[in-house]
Every structure is written in structure tokens, then in C-alpha cells.
Amino acid sequence: MITKKLFDQYDGKDIYAYTISDGIEVTVCTLGATVLAIKVPNSSDEMTDVVLGMTNARDVIEKGDYMGAVVGRCANRIANGRFTLNGVEYFLAQNNGNAHLHGGIVGFNQKVFDASVDGNALTLTAISPDGEEGYSGNLTLTVRYTVHDSTLKIEYFAQSDKDTLFNPTNHAYFNLNGENDGSILDNYLQLNASHYLQIDKDLIPTTRCPVDGTPFDFRTLKPIGRDIGQDDPQLDIAGGYDHNFCLTAHHAALAYSPKTDIVMNVFTDMKGVQLYTGNFLSGNVGKSKYGKRSGFCLETQFYPNAINRDDCDKPILKAGEKFYSRTLFSFLCKKLNIG
Ligand code: BGC
């Protein structure tokens, strides 16, 4: 079932919030195709809202730290905002030090999407014009959110009329204890990744390193907070986890809260996932007050700065070609044996 409500107004336009229900209740608004809430049944037979979110359009844009939004054209950082494609050097907006981050100053997270509904699927479409933020090509993005049997499927469809880069993701911050809990350090996490990308002081990935024997080893389920305080130069740079993990399976991650017994499984066709533990959060706005480490993100994507790397697929979208990618967030309530 899908219901529709007026959420707010932005840029002279009405912004609607749609709630899609089938086991879980997912609320998405047309500004930034932003996920505002995901309510999941917990072990007390109540609903727990497991994502951080804002309550009005202005805060979504100005104070939301991309919470729940679709980001792009290119998620994550591109070093110095520069890359070369077909022998042409492109200069993107530098909105994070020297780097280009999450699509630049006006990314898809700030666009008002057109919406249509079909059964339990909400389809949202927006356009990024040729040259926006320095990217080539008129690019049309369609994001389809489908909820079925407690699973949220996010599908990305895109097309451009010139060769360009494209690497979208969703930037939801999760706390399986509930969005108002304040800390994700006792959420458990398992990642199917035996390597991660180290970062330089500007948080640009450098070397691909084995997780073995490091705080980045999430191959077996452990609390996010178990190793986050270790004396490790990589954790120091980012103030916690803010790193890309190199996935070895479509089943990217499992997260679990012993407080609610909510389990989340993440599946994706992407090769990378950015684990970000909300190290820079300091907001006083939103459904609750969100401080440092009150949410964690699992942003599925091509490796960050992939266009400037030689060891991975590059997010090049050729003129006229159809881009497709999907990520699923699947929920259940089950007590796990965490030893
Ligand atoms: C990045 C963080 C950044 C945050 C912005 C994350 O995807 O990895 O470094 O601060 O987005 O909200």
C-alpha cells in the first residue's frame, strides 16, 4: 500500500511524502528522493524507526548531512574535482576542501523529483542538465523504491546524451536501536569484505589493504564500537570509520541490534560500500537530536574516486547507454546468538 501526504514546500514547489508499506513502512519525500523514515517491527511488537531524518524541507537541504537522500551524480569524493574522459579534462565543483563530494553544490539530493505510483513501487525522476557541477551530458535519473515483504528495494535507472560519470547511492543513516537512541556503537555489523581502501588526510582512498588483523575486519559480526577507539592512524584521520570496503559478495552486510532484535541484510550489485559512522554529525535538528555516531551509513557504490584509479571498474556512462543498479535493505526481527 502507498499513501501520500504533503510534506512541505521548497523552491515554490509542493514536496510530497509517500509511505510504502508491506511488513515495514518506508517514507520517502520528493525532495532529493529522500528516505525520511523506515519503521520496522521490533521484539516488543512495536514499530522502531531505524533511520535518522529531518522534519522539513529546509532542514533536509541545509542540515540533513545527506540523511536518506539519493546522492550524485557521483557519490563520495573525486580527488581535486578532476578527471579525464575521452581525452578531455573535466573540472567539477570542489565542495569539500579540494575534493568534489556527493555530486557537488547542487546534487540530486537537492532536486525536486516527479513522482508516480504503481502498486507498491514509487518511481521518482529528476534531470541534471549538461554542465551542471561540471559534468557533461543531460542526465535523467529515475529512482524506484519498492517495498515487498519487509524489504526495501532501491533501483537506479539513468541515461545521458553525452559520455559522463555516474555513481549514485542512498545516504541513509541507520540506528537499529531506533533513530532516537543516540549511539550506534552497540549495533552489530558484519561486512562481506576482506579488503578496504585506506585514505589520505583528505579522505581520498589510496591503497587497497587486507582487513585481516585491523579494526576494519568486520568479516564476523561485531559491535561497531568494539574497535572504533583503537589507536589506528586510519581511524584517526576520519574520527572513526569513513572508508570504502571492497565487497566479495552480493550480500554486502548484516546489521543487528540486541536492543530491538532488528536485523538488516543489505544486498547490492555494486562492488564497494562506504561505512560511515556519522563522525561529523553534530546537528540539533531532525526527528531527534543527532550527535556524533548516532547513525551509520552503508553507501553502496563504485569505489570512491574510481575514475582516477586503475584497480577497479570506473563509473563511466556512455551516451545513450542505460545505467541500472540496485540495492536491497531487508529487515526481520530475530534474536541472534551473539555469544
Ligand atoms: C562521507 C563523509 C561525509 C558525509 C557527509 C559520507 O558519505 O563519507 O566523509 O562527511 O558523507 O554527510
Side-chain angles (χ1 to χ4, degrees):
M1 192 178 72
I2 300 192
T3 56
K4 175 182 176 184
K5 267 197 348 201
L6 185 64
F7 173 64
D8 201 352
Q9 290 195 320
Y10 183 75
D11 205 11
K13 293 175 191 142
D14 286 340
I15 308 298
Y16 290 97
Y18 291 82
T19 299
I20 324 170
S21 316
D22 185 5
I24 56 171
E25 294 172 15
V26 178
T27 302
V28 176
C29 78
T30 48
L31 179 59
T34 301
V35 175
L36 297 173
I38 301 181
K39 294 185 181 166
V40 182
N42 62 27
S43 49
S44 312
D45 278 337
E46 288 159 357
M47 298 295 258
T48 296
D49 184 355
V50 296
V51 292
L52 281 49
M54 295 292 130
T55 54
N56 63 69
R58 186 149 295 283
D59 288 350
V60 166
I61 299 285
E62 290 176 7
K63 299 181 177 158
D65 288 281
Y66 303 93
M67 274 171 202
V70 166
V71 297
R73 297 185 187 194
C74 272
N76 218 307
R77 292 176 174 80
I78 296 179
N80 299 312
R82 284 191 194 189
F83 66 94
T84 301
L85 181 62
N86 302 331
V88 177
E89 190 170 19
Y90 287 88
F91 299 88
L92 301 175
Q94 292 165 294
N95 59 323
N96 188 255
N98 287 332
H100 176 82
L101 176 69
H102 293 333
I105 297 156
V106 180
F108 277 107
N109 63 302
Q110 297 198 23
K111 292 192 184 282
V112 181
F113 285 64
D114 292 328
S116 69
V117 164
D118 181 14
N120 253 15
L122 170 68
T123 301
L124 298 165
T125 299
I127 289 170
S128 171
D130 190 15
E132 191 172 45
E133 304 296 309
Y135 289 104
S136 56
N138 292 294
L139 183 132
T140 305
L141 166 64
T142 294
V143 185
R144 184 161 69 199
Y145 290 99
T146 311
V147 177
H148 177 64
D149 201 11
S150 296
T151 297
L152 167 64
K153 178 165 71 176
I154 308 180
E155 294 170 288
Y156 304 91
F157 306 83
Q159 218 166 334
S160 166
D161 57 6
K162 288 184 188 159
D163 290 3
T164 192
L165 295 195
F166 191 56
N167 182 17
T169 193
N170 182 281
H171 207 293
Y173 291 71
F174 296 96
N175 187 336
L176 301 185
N177 298 335
E179 55 82 30
N180 57 357
D181 181 79
S183 172
I184 43 94
L185 296 180
D186 59 356
N187 278 217
Y188 279 66
L189 182 66
Q190 189 222 324
L191 294 173
N192 285 322
S194 48
H195 290 76
Y196 77 107
L197 301 179
Q198 291 197 336
I199 51 176
D200 67 15
K201 63 172 183 22
D202 298 320
L203 280 69
I204 306 285
T206 54
T207 330
R208 192 172 185 273
C209 290
V211 296
D212 205 12
T214 77
F216 294 83
D217 193 349
F218 280 93
R219 288 173 298 177
T220 48
L221 199 61
K222 69 175 181 183
I224 292 175
R226 179 181 293 171
D227 299 325
I228 204 169
Q230 273 192 27
D231 186 12
D232 177 279
Q234 281 294 307
L235 291 172
D236 288 348
I237 291 175
Y241 297 102
D242 196 353
H243 295 76
N244 183 88
F245 287 76
C246 308
L247 294 171
T248 48
H250 288 313
H251 183 196
L254 182 152
Y256 172 64
S257 160
K259 281 189 183 162
T260 57
D261 287 334
I262 291 174
V263 180
M264 176 175 76
N265 282 291
V266 183
F267 303 89
T268 187
D269 54 11
M270 285 283 121
K271 299 263 177 67
V273 66
Q274 182 88 2
L275 170 62
Y276 171 53
T277 44
N279 314 319
F280 304 123
L281 286 179
S282 62
N284 279 318
V285 286
K287 292 180 287 186
S288 304
K289 309 286 176 242
Y290 301 126
K292 183 173 172 172
R293 299 193 181 146
S294 55
F296 67 95
C297 302
L298 292 170
E299 305 157 45
T300 56
Q301 57 192 265
F302 286 88
Y303 292 0
N305 197 33
I307 189 64
N308 296 313
R309 297 181 70 87
D310 292 326
D311 63 345
C312 58
D313 296 342
K314 295 178 191 289
I316 296 171
L317 177 60
K318 295 270 187 199
E321 268 183 12
K322 290 189 171 148
F323 175 92
Y324 176 77
S325 165
R326 68 179 164 190
T327 294
L328 282 75
F329 297 94
S330 190
F331 296 89
L332 72 152
C333 180
K334 185 182 176 187
K335 186 169 277 309
L336 298 189
N337 185 358
I338 46 176

